Amino acid sequence: MSTFKIPQDAFTQELQAIGRMIDKGQLRKAATALNVARASRPGDARVLLVGMRLAQKSGNLAMAIKSARTALEMEPTWHVPMIELAQMLSQNHQADEAMQLARKAAQLEPDTFQVIMSAAQVAERCGADEAVVWAQRASELAPERNDVKFALGTK
């Protein structure tokens, strides 16, 4: 399991509310709220990750990648910006860097289903051998997930 615990403080709840605005397509409202959050906590990498989601939803992959890179620079050992950046880089045909980040995230969180499954998706997009190994590991971590078993062709 992940050693990272999601805090439940007021600021975290504010970021979650902004995330819900993004999910609902309320992008201007989310951007305004995110600017306020960024001003109050300029050193919080989570703000940048929410900004990354906003940029993705807006169709601005370059800004999303920049936000994820900055979050990773702020928290270089945190698996979340690592795997998020790896996902975007793999979609942007930057396989070498994407795989370096996916490998590092998988090494940091070998028992976290979401990290290992995301690493498998990155590897699959990049045509890397780790795709099957990580998908098999994800299947072991979440044996109830039939979608993973189906993708592997196992029962």
Side-chain angles (χ1 to χ4, degrees):
M1 296 302 291
S2 175
T3 57
F4 181 77
K5 301 290 182 215
I6 298 173
Q8 292 303 313
D9 60 281
F11 189 69
T12 299
Q13 291 175 4
E14 182 181 341
L15 292 176
Q16 290 171 341
I18 296 168
R20 287 189 295 276
M21 288 178 216
I22 294 168
D23 292 342
K24 292 177 183 175
Q26 300 169 342
L27 303 185
R28 284 183 194 236
K29 185 177 178 182
T32 300
L34 192 58
N35 286 336
V36 171
R38 174 77 183 204
S40 72
R41 299 258 182 109
D44 194 322
R46 297 174 302 163
V47 176
L48 292 163
L49 291 177
V50 175
M52 175 201 74
R53 287 183 52 206
L54 178 63
Q56 282 177 306
K57 187 79 168 191
S58 300
N60 189 342
L61 184 61
M63 182 56 76
I65 288 172
K66 182 179 177 185
S67 293
R69 280 191 195 285
T70 305
L72 185 57
E73 288 169 8
M74 293 172 83
E75 296 286 345
T77 60
W78 189 24
H79 67 279
V80 176
M82 238 177 258
I83 202 67
E84 292 289 345
L85 180 56
Q87 290 258 10
M88 286 184 290
L89 292 172
S90 70
Q91 293 167 356
N92 203 37
H93 310 291
Q94 297 177 44
D96 291 342
E97 185 180 1
M99 284 304 300
Q100 287 175 352
L101 291 166
R103 287 181 186 114
K104 189 171 181 181
Q107 184 178 27
L108 287 171
E109 294 290 331
D111 297 325
T112 303
F113 171 81
Q114 189 58 48
V115 173
I116 299 303
M117 194 65 218
S118 294
Q121 291 166 346
V122 168
E124 192 276 325
R125 271 189 226 107
C126 295
D129 295 335
E130 289 98 333
V132 173
V133 173
W134 285 332
Q136 287 172 332
R137 177 66 182 140
S139 181
E140 292 167 7
L141 292 170
E144 71 283 359
R145 293 284 304 261
N146 291 325
D147 58 325
V148 179
K149 291 177 190 171
F150 180 75
L152 286 167
T154 61
K155 293 184 181 183

